[in-house]
Coordinates of all heavy atoms in Angstrom, one line a residue:
M1261 N 253.1 133.0 156.9 CA 252.1 132.0 156.9 C 250.7 132.7 157.2 O 249.7 132.4 156.6 CB 252.4 130.9 157.8 CG 251.5 129.7 157.7 SD 251.5 128.9 156.0 CE 250.2 127.8 156.1
K1262 N 250.7 133.5 158.2 CA 249.5 134.2 158.6 C 248.9 135.0 157.4 O 247.7 135.1 157.2 CB 249.8 135.2 159.8 CG 249.3 134.6 161.1 CD 249.4 135.7 162.2 CE 249.0 135.1 163.5 NZ 249.4 136.0 164.6
N1263 N 249.9 135.6 156.7 CA 249.4 136.4 155.6 C 248.7 135.6 154.5 O 247.7 136.1 153.9 CB 250.6 137.1 154.9 CG 251.1 138.3 155.7 OD1 250.3 138.8 156.5 ND2 252.3 138.7 155.5
I1264 N 249.2 134.4 154.3 CA 248.6 133.5 153.3 C 247.2 133.2 153.7 O 246.2 133.2 152.9 CB 249.4 132.3 153.1 CG1 250.8 132.7 152.4 CG2 248.7 131.3 152.3 CD1 251.8 131.6 152.4
I1265 N 247.0 132.9 155.0 CA 245.7 132.5 155.5 C 244.7 133.7 155.4 O 243.6 133.6 154.9 CB 245.7 132.0 157.0 CG1 246.4 130.7 157.0 CG2 244.3 131.9 157.6 CD1 246.8 130.2 158.4
F1266 N 245.2 134.9 155.7 CA 244.4 136.1 155.6 C 244.0 136.3 154.1 O 242.8 136.6 153.8 CB 245.2 137.3 156.1 CG 244.5 138.6 156.0 CD1 243.4 138.8 156.8 CD2 244.8 139.6 155.2 CE1 242.6 139.9 156.8 CE2 244.1 140.8 155.1 CZ 243.0 140.9 155.9
L1267 N 244.9 136.1 153.2 CA 244.6 136.2 151.8 C 243.6 135.3 151.3 O 242.7 135.6 150.6 CB 245.9 136.0 151.0 CG 246.0 136.8 149.7 CD1 246.4 138.3 150.0 CD2 247.1 136.2 148.8
L1268 N 243.7 134.0 151.8 CA 242.7 133.0 151.5 C 241.3 133.4 151.9 O 240.4 133.3 151.2 CB 243.1 131.7 152.1 CG 244.0 130.7 151.3 CD1 244.4 129.5 152.1 CD2 243.1 130.3 150.1
L1269 N 241.3 133.9 153.2 CA 240.0 134.3 153.7 C 239.4 135.4 152.9 O 238.2 135.4 152.5 CB 240.1 134.8 155.1 CG 240.2 133.7 156.2 CD1 240.6 134.3 157.6 CD2 238.9 132.9 156.3
L1270 N 240.3 136.4 152.5 CA 239.8 137.5 151.7 C 239.2 137.1 150.3 O 238.1 137.5 150.0 CB 241.0 138.4 151.4 CG 241.0 139.7 152.2 CD1 242.2 140.6 151.7 CD2 239.7 140.5 152.0
T1271 N 239.9 136.2 149.7 CA 239.5 135.8 148.3 C 238.2 134.9 148.5 O 237.3 135.1 147.7 CB 240.5 135.0 147.6 OG1 241.0 134.0 148.4 CG2 241.7 135.9 147.1
Q1272 N 238.2 134.1 149.5 CA 237.0 133.3 149.7 C 235.7 134.1 150.0 O 234.7 133.9 149.5 CB 237.2 132.2 150.7 CG 238.2 131.2 150.2 CD 238.1 129.9 150.9 OE1 237.7 129.9 152.1 NE2 238.5 128.8 150.3
S1273 N 235.9 135.1 150.9 CA 234.8 135.9 151.2 C 234.4 136.7 150.0 O 233.2 137.1 149.8 CB 235.1 136.8 152.4 OG 236.1 137.7 152.1
G1274 N 235.3 137.0 149.1 CA 235.0 137.7 147.9 C 234.1 136.9 147.0 O 233.1 137.4 146.4
F1275 N 234.3 135.6 147.0 CA 233.3 134.7 146.3 C 232.0 134.7 146.9 O 231.0 134.7 146.2 CB 233.9 133.3 146.1 CG 234.9 133.2 145.1 CD1 236.2 132.9 145.4 CD2 234.6 133.4 143.7 CE1 237.2 132.8 144.4 CE2 235.6 133.3 142.7 CZ 236.9 133.0 143.1
L1276 N 232.0 134.6 148.2 CA 230.7 134.5 148.9 C 229.8 135.7 148.8 O 228.6 135.6 148.6 CB 231.0 134.3 150.4 CG 231.3 132.8 150.9 CD1 231.7 132.8 152.3 CD2 230.1 131.9 150.6
F1277 N 230.5 136.9 148.8 CA 229.7 138.1 148.7 C 229.8 138.8 147.3 O 229.5 139.9 147.2 CB 230.2 139.1 149.8 CG 230.0 138.5 151.2 CD1 231.1 138.1 151.9 CD2 228.7 138.3 151.7 CE1 230.9 137.6 153.2 CE2 228.6 137.8 152.9 CZ 229.7 137.4 153.7
A1278 N 230.2 138.0 146.3 CA 230.2 138.5 145.0 C 228.8 139.1 144.7 O 227.8 138.5 144.9 CB 230.5 137.4 144.0
A1279 N 228.9 140.4 144.3 CA 227.6 141.1 144.1 C 226.9 140.7 142.9 O 227.5 140.9 141.8 CB 227.9 142.6 144.1
E1280 N 225.7 140.2 143.0 CA 224.9 139.9 141.9 C 224.0 141.1 141.6 O 223.4 141.6 142.5 CB 224.1 138.6 142.2 CG 223.7 137.8 141.0 CD 223.1 136.5 141.4 OE1 223.8 135.6 141.8 OE2 221.9 136.4 141.4
Q1281 N 224.0 141.4 140.3 CA 223.3 142.6 139.9 C 222.3 142.3 138.8 O 222.6 141.4 138.0 CB 224.3 143.7 139.4 CG 224.0 145.0 140.0 CD 224.8 146.1 139.3 OE1 224.3 146.7 138.4 NE2 226.0 146.3 139.7
S1282 N 221.2 142.9 138.8 CA 220.2 142.7 137.8 C 219.9 144.0 137.1 O 219.7 145.0 137.7 CB 218.9 142.2 138.3 OG 219.1 140.8 138.8
V1283 N 219.9 144.0 135.8 CA 219.6 145.2 135.0 C 218.6 144.8 133.9 O 218.5 143.7 133.5 CB 220.9 145.8 134.3 CG1 221.8 146.4 135.4 CG2 221.6 144.8 133.5
V1284 N 217.9 145.8 133.4 CA 217.1 145.6 132.3 C 217.6 146.5 131.2 O 217.7 147.7 131.4 CB 215.6 145.9 132.6 CG1 214.7 145.8 131.4 CG2 215.1 145.0 133.7
L1285 N 217.9 145.9 130.0 CA 218.4 146.7 128.9 C 217.2 146.9 127.9 O 216.4 146.0 127.7 CB 219.5 145.9 128.2 CG 220.7 145.5 129.0 CD1 221.7 144.7 128.1 CD2 221.4 146.7 129.7
S1286 N 217.2 148.1 127.4 CA 216.2 148.4 126.4 C 216.9 148.2 125.0 O 217.9 148.8 124.8 CB 215.7 149.8 126.5 OG 215.0 150.3 125.4
I1287 N 216.3 147.4 124.2 CA 216.9 147.1 122.9 C 215.8 147.3 121.8 O 215.2 146.3 121.3 CB 217.4 145.6 122.8 CG1 218.3 145.3 124.1 CG2 218.2 145.4 121.6 CD1 218.7 143.9 124.2
P1288 N 215.6 148.5 121.4 CA 214.6 148.9 120.5 C 214.7 148.3 119.1 O 213.7 148.2 118.3 CB 214.6 150.4 120.4 CG 215.9 150.8 121.0 CD 216.4 149.7 121.8
G1289 N 215.9 147.9 118.7 CA 216.2 147.4 117.4 C 215.7 146.0 117.1 O 215.8 145.5 115.9
M1290 N 215.1 145.3 118.0 CA 214.6 143.9 117.8 C 213.4 144.0 116.9 O 212.4 144.7 117.2 CB 214.1 143.3 119.1 CG 215.2 142.8 120.0 SD 214.5 141.7 121.2 CE 214.9 142.7 122.7
D1291 N 213.5 143.3 115.7 CA 212.3 143.5 114.8 C 211.8 142.1 114.3 O 210.9 142.1 113.4 CB 212.7 144.4 113.6 CG 213.9 143.9 112.9 OD1 214.4 142.8 113.2 OD2 214.4 144.6 112.0
C1292 N 212.2 141.0 114.8 CA 211.6 139.8 114.5 C 211.9 138.8 115.6 O 212.8 139.0 116.4 CB 212.1 139.2 113.2 SG 213.7 138.4 113.2
P1293 N 211.1 137.7 115.7 CA 211.3 136.7 116.8 C 212.6 136.1 117.0 O 212.9 135.5 118.0 CB 210.2 135.7 116.6 CG 209.2 136.4 115.7 CD 210.0 137.3 114.8
V1294 N 213.5 136.2 115.9 CA 214.8 135.6 116.0 C 215.8 136.5 116.8 O 216.8 136.0 117.4 CB 215.4 135.2 114.6 CG1 216.7 134.5 114.7 CG2 214.4 134.4 113.9
C1295 N 215.5 137.8 116.7 CA 216.4 138.7 117.4 C 216.7 138.3 118.9 O 217.9 138.4 119.3 CB 215.8 140.1 117.3 SG 215.7 140.8 115.7
P1296 N 215.7 138.0 119.7 CA 215.9 137.7 121.1 C 216.9 136.6 121.3 O 217.7 136.6 122.2 CB 214.6 137.4 121.6 CG 213.6 138.0 120.7 CD 214.2 138.0 119.4
I1297 N 216.8 135.6 120.3 CA 217.7 134.4 120.5 C 219.2 134.8 120.2 O 220.1 134.5 121.0 CB 217.3 133.3 119.4 CG1 215.8 132.9 119.7 CG2 218.2 132.1 119.5 CD1 215.2 132.1 118.6
T1298 N 219.4 135.6 119.2 CA 220.7 136.1 118.9 C 221.3 136.9 120.0 O 222.4 136.7 120.5 CB 220.7 137.1 117.6 OG1 219.9 136.4 116.6 CG2 222.1 137.4 117.1
I1299 N 220.5 137.8 120.6 CA 220.9 138.7 121.7 C 221.2 137.9 122.9 O 222.2 138.1 123.6 CB 219.8 139.8 121.9 CG1 219.7 140.7 120.7 CG2 220.1 140.5 123.2 CD1 218.5 141.6 120.7
K1300 N 220.3 136.9 123.2 CA 220.5 136.1 124.4 C 221.8 135.3 124.4 O 222.6 135.3 125.3 CB 219.3 135.1 124.5 CG 219.4 134.3 125.8 CD 218.1 133.4 126.0 CE 218.3 132.7 127.3 NZ 217.0 132.1 127.8
K1301 N 222.1 134.8 123.2 CA 223.3 134.0 123.0 C 224.5 134.9 123.3 O 225.5 134.5 123.9 CB 223.4 133.4 121.6 CG 222.8 132.1 121.5 CD 223.0 131.5 120.1 CE 222.2 130.3 119.9 NZ 222.0 130.0 118.4
S1302 N 224.5 136.1 122.7 CA 225.7 137.0 122.9 C 225.8 137.4 124.4 O 227.0 137.4 124.9 CB 225.5 138.2 122.0 OG 226.5 139.1 122.1
L1303 N 224.7 137.7 125.0 CA 224.8 138.1 126.4 C 225.3 137.0 127.3 O 226.0 137.2 128.3 CB 223.4 138.6 126.9 CG 223.0 140.0 126.4 CD1 221.6 140.3 126.7 CD2 223.9 141.1 127.1
Q1304 N 224.9 135.8 127.0 CA 225.3 134.6 127.8 C 226.8 134.4 127.8 O 227.4 133.7 128.6 CB 224.5 133.4 127.4 CG 223.1 133.4 128.0 CD 222.3 132.2 127.4 OE1 222.5 131.8 126.3 NE2 221.3 131.7 128.2
K1305 N 227.4 134.9 126.7 CA 228.9 134.7 126.6 C 229.7 135.7 127.5 O 230.9 135.5 127.6 CB 229.3 134.9 125.1 CG 229.1 133.6 124.3 CD 229.7 133.8 122.9 CE 228.7 133.3 121.8 NZ 229.0 133.9 120.5
V1306 N 229.1 136.7 128.0 CA 229.8 137.7 128.8 C 230.1 137.0 130.1 O 229.3 136.4 130.7 CB 228.9 138.9 129.0 CG1 229.6 139.9 129.9 CG2 228.6 139.6 127.7
A1307 N 231.4 137.2 130.6 CA 231.8 136.7 131.8 C 230.9 137.1 133.0 O 230.6 138.3 133.1 CB 233.3 137.1 132.1
G1308 N 230.5 136.1 133.8 CA 229.8 136.5 135.0 C 228.3 136.5 134.9 O 227.6 136.7 135.8
V1309 N 227.8 136.4 133.6 CA 226.4 136.5 133.4 C 225.7 135.2 133.8 O 226.1 134.1 133.5 CB 226.1 136.8 131.9 CG1 224.6 136.5 131.6 CG2 226.4 138.2 131.5
K1310 N 224.7 135.3 134.7 CA 224.0 134.2 135.2 C 222.7 133.8 134.6 O 222.4 132.7 134.4 CB 223.8 134.4 136.7 CG 225.2 134.4 137.4 CD 225.1 134.3 138.9 CE 226.5 134.1 139.5 NZ 226.7 135.0 140.6
S1311 N 222.0 134.8 134.2 CA 220.7 134.6 133.5 C 220.4 135.7 132.6 O 220.7 136.9 132.8 CB 219.6 134.3 134.5 OG 219.2 135.5 135.1
V1312 N 219.8 135.3 131.5 CA 219.4 136.3 130.5 C 217.9 136.0 130.1 O 217.6 134.9 129.8 CB 220.2 136.2 129.2 CG1 219.8 137.3 128.2 CG2 221.7 136.4 129.6
D1313 N 217.1 137.0 130.1 CA 215.7 136.8 129.7 C 215.3 137.9 128.8 O 215.1 139.1 129.1 CB 214.8 136.9 131.0 CG 213.4 136.4 130.7 OD1 213.2 135.9 129.6 OD2 212.5 136.6 131.6
V1314 N 215.3 137.6 127.5 CA 215.0 138.6 126.5 C 213.6 138.5 126.0 O 213.0 137.5 125.8 CB 215.9 138.4 125.2 CG1 215.7 139.5 124.2 CG2 217.4 138.3 125.6
S1315 N 212.9 139.7 126.0 CA 211.5 139.7 125.6 C 211.4 140.5 124.3 O 211.8 141.7 124.2 CB 210.7 140.4 126.7 OG 209.5 140.8 126.2
Y1316 N 210.9 139.8 123.3 CA 210.7 140.5 122.0 C 209.5 141.5 122.1 O 209.6 142.6 121.6 CB 210.4 139.4 121.0 CG 210.0 140.0 119.6 CD1 210.8 140.9 119.0 CD2 208.8 139.5 119.0 CE1 210.4 141.4 117.7 CE2 208.4 140.0 117.8 CZ 209.2 141.0 117.2 OH 208.9 141.5 115.9
E1317 N 208.5 141.1 122.9 CA 207.3 142.0 123.0 C 207.7 143.3 123.7 O 207.2 144.4 123.2 CB 206.3 141.3 123.9 CG 205.3 140.4 123.0 CD 204.7 139.3 123.8 OE1 204.3 139.6 124.9 OE2 204.5 138.2 123.2
S1318 N 208.5 143.3 124.7 CA 208.8 144.6 125.4 C 210.1 145.1 124.9 O 210.5 146.2 125.3 CB 208.7 144.4 126.9 OG 209.7 143.5 127.3
K1319 N 210.8 144.4 124.0 CA 212.1 144.8 123.5 C 213.1 145.1 124.6 O 213.7 146.2 124.6 CB 211.9 146.0 122.5 CG 211.1 145.6 121.3 CD 211.1 146.7 120.3 CE 210.5 146.4 119.0 NZ 209.5 145.3 118.9
T1320 N 213.1 144.2 125.5 CA 214.0 144.4 126.7 C 214.8 143.1 126.9 O 214.4 142.0 126.5 CB 213.3 144.7 128.0 OG1 212.3 143.7 128.2 CG2 212.6 146.1 127.9
A1321 N 215.9 143.2 127.6 CA 216.7 142.0 128.1 C 217.0 142.2 129.6 O 217.6 143.2 130.0 CB 218.0 141.9 127.3
A1322 N 216.5 141.3 130.4 CA 216.8 141.3 131.8 C 218.0 140.4 132.0 O 218.0 139.2 131.7 CB 215.6 140.8 132.6
V1323 N 219.0 141.0 132.6 CA 220.3 140.3 132.8 C 220.7 140.3 134.2 O 220.7 141.3 134.9 CB 221.4 140.9 131.9 CG1 222.7 140.0 132.0 CG2 221.0 141.1 130.5
T1324 N 221.0 139.1 134.7 CA 221.6 139.0 136.1 C 223.0 138.6 135.9 O 223.3 137.6 135.2 CB 220.8 137.9 136.9 OG1 219.4 138.3 136.9 CG2 221.3 137.9 138.3
F1325 N 223.9 139.3 136.6 CA 225.3 139.1 136.4 C 226.1 139.4 137.7 O 225.6 140.1 138.5 CB 225.9 139.9 135.2 CG 225.8 141.3 135.4 CD1 226.9 142.1 135.7 CD2 224.6 142.0 135.2 CE1 226.9 143.4 135.9 CE2 224.6 143.4 135.4 CZ 225.7 144.1 135.7
D1326 N 227.3 138.8 137.7 CA 228.2 139.1 138.8 C 229.0 140.3 138.5 O 229.8 140.3 137.6 CB 229.1 137.9 139.0 CG 230.1 138.0 140.1 OD1 230.4 139.2 140.6 OD2 230.7 137.0 140.6
D1327 N 228.8 141.4 139.2 CA 229.4 142.7 138.8 C 230.9 142.7 139.2 O 231.5 143.8 139.0 CB 228.6 143.9 139.4 CG 228.7 144.1 140.9 OD1 229.4 143.3 141.5 OD2 228.1 145.0 141.4
Q1328 N 231.5 141.7 139.7 CA 232.9 141.6 139.9 C 233.6 141.1 138.6 O 234.8 141.2 138.4 CB 233.3 140.8 141.1 CG 232.8 141.4 142.4 CD 233.4 140.8 143.6 OE1 233.7 139.6 143.6 NE2 233.7 141.6 144.6
L1329 N 232.8 140.4 137.8 CA 233.3 139.8 136.6 C 233.0 140.6 135.3 O 233.8 140.6 134.3 CB 232.8 138.4 136.4 CG 233.3 137.4 137.5 CD1 232.5 136.1 137.3 CD2 234.8 137.2 137.4
S1330 N 232.0 141.4 135.3 CA 231.6 142.2 134.2 C 230.8 143.4 134.6 O 230.4 143.4 135.8 CB 230.9 141.4 133.1 OG 229.7 140.8 133.7
G1331 N 230.6 144.3 133.7 CA 229.8 145.5 134.1 C 228.8 145.8 132.9 O 228.8 145.2 131.9
L1332 N 228.1 146.9 133.2 CA 227.1 147.3 132.2 C 227.7 147.5 130.8 O 227.1 147.1 129.8 CB 226.4 148.6 132.7 CG 225.3 149.1 131.8 CD1 224.1 148.1 131.6 CD2 224.8 150.5 132.3
P1333 N 228.9 148.2 130.7 CA 229.5 148.4 129.4 C 229.7 147.1 128.6 O 229.5 147.0 127.4 CB 230.8 149.1 129.7 CG 230.6 149.7 131.0 CD 229.7 148.8 131.8
D1334 N 230.0 146.0 129.4 CA 230.2 144.7 128.7 C 228.9 144.2 128.1 O 228.9 143.5 127.0 CB 230.8 143.7 129.7 CG 232.1 144.1 130.3 OD1 233.0 144.4 129.5 OD2 232.2 144.2 131.5
L1335 N 227.9 144.4 128.8 CA 226.5 143.9 128.4 C 226.1 144.7 127.2 O 225.6 144.1 126.2 CB 225.5 144.0 129.5 CG 225.8 143.3 130.8 CD1 224.7 143.6 131.9 CD2 226.0 141.8 130.6
L1336 N 226.3 146.0 127.2 CA 225.9 146.9 126.1 C 226.7 146.5 124.9 O 226.2 146.4 123.7 CB 226.1 148.3 126.4 CG 225.3 148.9 127.6 CD1 225.6 150.3 127.9 CD2 223.8 148.7 127.5
K1337 N 228.0 146.2 125.1 CA 228.8 145.9 124.0 C 228.4 144.5 123.4 O 228.5 144.3 122.1 CB 230.3 145.8 124.5 CG 231.3 146.1 123.4 CD 232.7 146.1 124.0 CE 233.7 145.8 122.9 NZ 235.0 145.3 123.5
A1338 N 228.0 143.6 124.2 CA 227.6 142.3 123.7 C 226.4 142.4 122.8 O 226.3 141.7 121.8 CB 227.2 141.4 124.9
T1339 N 225.4 143.3 123.0 CA 224.3 143.4 122.1 C 224.7 144.2 120.9 O 224.3 143.9 119.8 CB 223.1 144.2 122.8 OG1 223.4 145.5 122.9 CG2 222.7 143.5 124.1
E1340 N 225.6 145.1 121.0 CA 226.1 145.9 119.9 C 226.9 145.0 118.9 O 226.8 145.1 117.7 CB 227.0 147.0 120.4 CG 226.3 148.4 120.1 CD 226.7 149.4 121.2 OE1 227.9 149.6 121.4 OE2 225.7 150.0 121.8
N1341 N 227.7 144.0 119.5 CA 228.4 143.1 118.7 C 227.6 142.3 117.7 O 228.1 141.8 116.7 CB 229.2 142.1 119.6 CG 230.4 142.8 120.2 OD1 230.9 143.8 119.8 ND2 231.0 142.1 121.3
V1342 N 226.3 142.1 118.1 CA 225.5 141.3 117.2 C 224.5 142.2 116.5 O 223.5 141.7 115.9 CB 224.7 140.1 117.9 CG1 225.7 139.0 118.3 CG2 224.0 140.6 119.2
G1343 N 224.8 143.5 116.5 CA 224.0 144.4 115.7 C 222.9 145.2 116.3 O 222.1 145.8 115.6
Y1344 N 222.8 145.1 117.6 CA 221.7 145.9 118.3 C 222.2 146.8 119.3 O 222.9 146.4 120.2 CB 220.7 144.9 119.0 CG 220.2 143.8 118.1 CD1 220.9 142.6 118.0 CD2 219.0 144.1 117.4 CE1 220.4 141.6 117.1 CE2 218.5 143.1 116.5 CZ 219.2 141.9 116.4 OH 218.7 140.9 115.5
S1345 N 221.9 148.1 119.2 CA 222.3 149.0 120.2 C 221.3 148.9 121.4 O 220.1 148.6 121.2 CB 222.4 150.4 119.7 OG 221.1 150.9 119.3
S1346 N 221.8 149.1 122.6 CA 221.0 149.0 123.7 C 221.4 150.0 124.7 O 222.4 150.6 124.7 CB 221.2 147.6 124.4 OG 222.5 147.4 124.7
N1347 N 220.5 150.3 125.7 CA 220.8 151.1 126.8 C 220.1 150.7 128.0 O 219.1 149.9 128.0 CB 220.5 152.6 126.4 CG 219.1 152.7 125.9 OD1 218.1 152.5 126.6 ND2 219.0 153.1 124.6
L1348 N 220.6 151.2 129.1 CA 220.0 150.8 130.4 C 218.6 151.3 130.6 O 218.4 152.5 130.5 CB 220.9 151.3 131.6 CG 220.5 150.9 133.0 CD1 220.8 149.4 133.2 CD2 221.3 151.7 134.0
Q1349 N 217.7 150.4 130.9 CA 216.3 150.8 131.2 C 216.0 150.9 132.7 O 215.4 151.8 133.2 CB 215.3 149.9 130.5 CG 213.9 150.4 130.6 CD 212.9 149.5 129.9 OE1 212.7 148.4 130.4 NE2 212.4 149.9 128.8
D1350 N 216.6 149.9 133.3 CA 216.3 149.8 134.8 C 217.4 149.1 135.5 O 218.0 148.1 135.0 CB 215.0 149.0 134.9 CG 214.4 149.1 136.3 OD1 214.7 150.1 136.9 OD2 213.7 148.2 136.7
G1351 N 217.8 149.6 136.6 CA 218.9 149.0 137.4 C 220.0 150.0 137.8 O 219.9 151.1 137.4
K1352 N 220.9 149.5 138.5 CA 222.0 150.4 139.0 C 223.0 150.6 137.9 O 223.2 149.8 137.0 CB 222.7 149.7 140.2 CG 222.1 150.0 141.5 CD 222.9 149.5 142.6 CE 223.0 148.0 142.8 NZ 223.9 147.6 143.8
K1353 N 223.6 151.8 137.9 CA 224.6 152.0 136.9 C 225.9 151.3 137.2 O 226.2 151.2 138.3 CB 224.9 153.5 136.8 CG 223.9 154.2 135.9 CD 224.7 154.9 134.7 CE 223.7 155.2 133.6 NZ 223.5 156.5 133.3
Ligands
CU2172 CU1 215.3 139.5 114.1

């Protein structure tokens, strides 16, 4: 029984301290105002993604996500899936 309580505490603190991470992706392939919409939709589908802010002008996507649910490779893959290659411009690896 003690073990179960300990486990519960562990998982709950995991939720409380879930690391939220922000990265900025560089997506040079954006070439019209519709691109950011397509990219944003795809990024929002990635597990753990909390906010996506795509800028056509600077050709970047600022993404905030829970790094226990997904990682940078998932984000890069999400833009690639809709036809745009991307790379990390700013943020932790
Ligand atoms: Cu476009």
Side-chain angles (χ1 to χ4, degrees):
M1261 191 60 191
K1262 254 186 184 169
N1263 281 341
I1264 292 169
I1265 292 167
F1266 181 67
L1267 210 79
L1268 266 172
L1269 281 173
L1270 254 185
T1271 49
Q1272 288 199 334
S1273 60
F1275 279 116
L1276 279 174
F1277 299 109
E1280 206 171 280
Q1281 227 193 95
S1282 293
V1283 292
V1284 177
L1285 306 179
S1286 168
I1287 311 172
M1290 281 194 247
D1291 56 7
C1292 81
V1294 183
C1295 295
I1297 300 166
T1298 313
I1299 292 165
K1300 183 172 181 165
K1301 272 187 191 159
S1302 180
L1303 283 168
Q1304 281 173 330
K1305 276 187 226 157
V1306 178
V1309 167
K1310 292 192 173 136
S1311 74
V1312 181
D1313 190 11
V1314 185
S1315 164
Y1316 173 53
E1317 271 157 36
S1318 63
K1319 297 190 171 23
T1320 55
V1323 187
T1324 303
F1325 63 101
D1326 181 340
D1327 70 1
Q1328 295 195 323
L1329 295 173
S1330 57
L1332 182 63
D1334 300 307
L1335 303 177
L1336 300 180
K1337 211 176 150 202
T1339 71
E1340 251 147 53
N1341 282 345
V1342 288
Y1344 304 91
S1345 67
S1346 60
N1347 49 68
L1348 182 69
Q1349 186 179 69
D1350 195 25
K1352 277 190 286 176
K1353 272 240 161 118

